[in-house]
Amino acid sequence: MLEPKLKKNFLGKAEIRKVFKLSRSGIIAGCFVTKGKFNRTCMVSLTRDGQVVFEGKLSSLKRFKDDVREVAEGFECGMSLARFDQLMEGDIIEGYEIEKIARKL
């Protein structure tokens, strides 16, 4: 009956190195994963100059031209964020999962 407690589990951190504008796909961020890993279902927060600008979901995760399930540390990838297109070079994207923990009395 109690609401579950929500906990953010850190997955990875990536730096945007280049922003691409594609006619079909919209805005794609060319990223380098500096820590951890990213998967297609993770939630992300976009940080610019130390402040969180956007929190939401990834709409696509690509390695070269292929859709992938996850990208590990030390690799480059392309990400597009759902309903957000004001990406800039130098922005930091952090990936996390939200874990629901059942509360007890």
Side-chain angles (χ1 to χ4, degrees):
M1 298 295 269
L2 294 173
E3 289 290 320
K5 185 177 177 183
L6 301 177
K7 179 182 173 187
K8 280 186 179 180
N9 291 331
F10 175 79
L11 290 177
K13 187 176 196 178
E15 177 187 352
I16 297 178
R17 298 225 171 143
K18 186 81 172 165
V19 178
F20 301 97
K21 296 178 182 176
L22 302 178
S23 60
R24 235 181 283 150
S25 305
I27 306 288
I28 303 292
C31 302
F32 182 76
V33 180
T34 56
K35 191 174 195 182
K37 64 181 179 179
F38 281 83
N39 60 30
R40 193 182 319 173
T41 60
C42 71
M43 301 290 288
V44 293
S45 62
L46 181 90
T47 306
R48 182 178 296 150
D49 298 327
Q51 294 190 354
V52 176
V53 178
F54 170 78
E55 285 196 38
K57 288 189 155 205
L58 281 176
S59 62
S60 73
L61 181 64
K62 293 185 181 253
R63 177 110 172 91
F64 297 111
K65 291 187 178 185
D66 304 323
D67 280 325
V68 292
R69 291 186 184 198
E70 76 176 24
V71 177
E73 181 175 339
F75 290 101
E76 294 179 337
C77 64
M79 297 183 197
S80 64
L81 307 179
R83 299 186 310 270
F84 187 77
D85 61 352
Q86 285 99 31
L87 300 169
M88 295 177 65
E89 293 178 14
D91 289 351
I92 303 295
I93 298 176
E94 292 184 351
Y96 60 90
E97 288 180 332
I98 296 179
E99 180 182 354
K100 294 181 181 180
I101 301 171
R103 296 192 326 189
K104 298 177 183 175
L105 290 175

